[in-house]
Amino acid sequence: MKNICVLVSGGGTNLQALIDAQNRGEIKGGRIICVISSKADAYALERAENAGIKTRVLVRKDYPDIAAYSKAMTDVLIEEKADLVVYAGFMTILDEQVCKAFPYKMINVHPALIPSFCGKGFYGLHVHEAALEKGVKVSGATVHFVTEVCDGGPIILQGTVAVENGDTPETLQRRIMENVEWKLLPKAVSLFCEDRITVKDGKAYVDL
Ligand code: GAR
């Protein structure tokens, strides 16, 4: 069984999707052992507690810089014996030392079709604002490995939804979450835990 640590910062609907999938027996070969939040008041912490999962809080402001914060996070993940680290709405960019400690062992869900609307500054509702501003007709979400390039790691799974006339950032976000994120993130986590993802020449190959 692989030890899964989930990093969160907010509402935690993706964490809930992982917990629900785990309860349905759909995360094969892994178990969520710890949820780590960058915010003390994140509702995601309550979701973890309700599911009987250990929680920890590492607040960015408590550390002088991103290097010190990344070091603290790396230490905690090693202490928890994490085999897989899942960024589920985790809004702090960590530096390369975390990636070096967990190479191709960290997965992120991003609410757009990478390489569109991604990178620094593209997070949460800002992503959907930018997509609507551009007038794209499809959007979606991407599950990918985390590397030192923000949103630049090998793509594992992607799914799309149609953008509808009259969409707001909130309605588009909700459609993408319901139809793509909450399905593909648990699926990618299970595929990882079953050793069905390989990375070659910077690309991820999934044994579906
Ligand atoms: C999700 O849409 C997730 O894809 C996005 O933030 C939301 C978190 O919701 N993540 C990012 O933008 C990361 N760059 P949640 O806390 O309810 O899972």
Side-chain angles (χ1 to χ4, degrees):
M1 272 287 183
K2 288 188 169 59
N3 290 332
I4 304 167
C5 286
V6 184
L7 308 188
V8 297
S9 300
T13 64
N14 277 290
L15 168 67
Q16 191 65 55
L18 289 167
I19 293 169
D20 293 346
Q22 174 165 286
N23 290 343
R24 290 192 301 266
E26 290 170 13
I27 309 281
K28 301 192 185 79
R31 180 130 206 101
I32 305 166
I33 53 127
C34 187
V35 170
I36 305 167
S37 177
S38 62
K39 295 219 174 83
D41 61 352
Y43 183 64
L45 288 168
E46 217 167 301
R47 295 181 189 272
E49 278 153 24
N50 289 341
I53 298 167
K54 175 180 177 181
T55 58
R56 297 181 71 155
V57 177
L58 247 71
V59 179
R60 170 66 184 84
K61 288 197 302 285
D62 293 346
Y63 298 85
D65 51 31
I66 198 72
Y69 185 70
S70 299
K71 166 86 171 70
M73 182 64 82
T74 305
D75 290 348
V76 164
L77 292 169
I78 291 170
E79 196 180 304
E80 294 295 340
K81 298 185 169 56
D83 298 304
L84 171 64
V85 181
V86 181
Y87 291 46
F90 184 64
M91 300 304 186
T92 306
I93 298 174
L94 300 171
D95 75 7
E96 68 288 343
Q97 62 184 307
V98 192
C99 305
K100 282 202 181 97
F102 294 92
Y104 297 135
K105 288 178 179 173
M106 298 199 288
I107 285 177
N108 178 47
V109 61
H110 182 75
L113 296 169
I114 289 175
S116 291
F117 311 115
C118 65
K120 209 162 184 281
F122 287 97
Y123 61 91
L125 279 176
H126 298 303
V127 177
H128 307 297
E129 281 161 14
L132 291 176
E133 180 63 30
K134 185 66 193 171
V136 294
K137 301 298 177 254
V138 289
S139 192
T142 303
V143 183
H144 64 94
F145 281 114
V146 177
T147 62
E148 57 286 346
V149 181
C150 178
D151 294 330
I155 292 168
I156 302 167
L157 297 172
Q158 289 185 304
T160 61
V161 302
V163 177
E164 293 173 9
N165 290 337
D167 260 339
T168 63
E170 288 80 8
T171 60
L172 181 57
Q173 177 186 55
R174 182 76 192 180
R175 190 175 311 117
I176 291 172
M177 282 176 154
E178 275 178 4
N179 293 284
V180 188
E181 295 186 45
W182 299 344
K183 292 178 182 164
L184 292 195
L185 185 61
K187 187 172 176 182
V189 166
S190 189
L191 287 166
F192 179 93
C193 292
E194 294 172 88
D195 294 319
R196 287 165 62 190
I197 309 173
T198 47
V199 179
K200 202 174 161 240
D201 301 330
K203 277 188 261 182
Y205 294 87
V206 180
D207 170 22
L208 282 170

